[in-house]
Amino acid sequence: MSALENQSRPRRMQKITTWEGTAPGIADLLKQKNVSELRALAGECSLKGTGRMRKDALVACVTQALVSREHLETFLMSLGQREWRFFQQAAVRPYYYAKQSAEEIYPVFQRTGYLQVCRDGKKLVGAVPAEVQRTYRELAEAGFPAR
């Protein structure tokens, strides 16, 4: 059993009932959204020609955009200090147990799929999808500003 599997795991998530092993991938999180939400997210990613796409195609298109270095860098640069610190902490570990007071910053990340949040009892747990963590590591290795 890997070290990740030995860690305590969140039991219930918003819209996703179980979470075993690693955090859900970004495509899995986006599949939980409806077509209108996906189209809005596609617009935020400046994607063109998504108006007639079906859900599966939208998920694939938005996923590709969200995990691109350029988009993640732009998103991270737009964050306030509090959100930036939270992302830094959550992006370097499989699960991040956060303070209750941080609950209001989660929607910033959940809307994009860059973070999934659930409750483990009374604790809030966040996880950044593995492909976003990889992109973040690439940015950091390339000298992404530490702010």
Side-chain angles (χ1 to χ4, degrees), residues 105-144:
I105 68 172
Y106 297 143
V108 172
F109 298 103
Q110 282 191 285
R111 188 184 78 250
T112 60
Y114 283 142
L115 175 74
Q116 182 63 34
V117 178
C118 69
R119 290 199 178 277
D120 184 9
K122 292 187 176 187
K123 296 179 182 177
L124 294 172
V125 183
V128 175
E131 58 267 61
V132 176
Q133 288 180 344
R134 274 192 301 276
T135 304
Y136 176 66
R137 277 194 301 274
E138 290 172 10
L139 285 171
E141 289 168 4
F144 183 74

Side-chain angles (χ1 to χ4, degrees), residues 19-71:
W19 184 2
E20 295 293 326
T22 59
I26 199 162
D28 295 325
L29 298 175
L30 292 176
K31 286 177 187 174
Q32 302 298 317
K33 297 183 179 294
N34 64 41
V35 172
S36 296
E37 292 170 319
L38 289 168
R39 286 194 178 121
L41 191 50
E44 291 177 32
C45 294
S46 301
L47 298 173
K48 305 291 183 207
T50 59
R52 293 186 179 215
M53 284 185 181
R54 293 184 180 255
K55 187 172 181 175
D56 289 342
L58 269 169
V59 167
C61 190
V62 172
T63 297
Q64 184 176 2
L66 288 176
V67 298
S68 73
R69 287 176 65 168
E70 297 78 21
H71 192 276

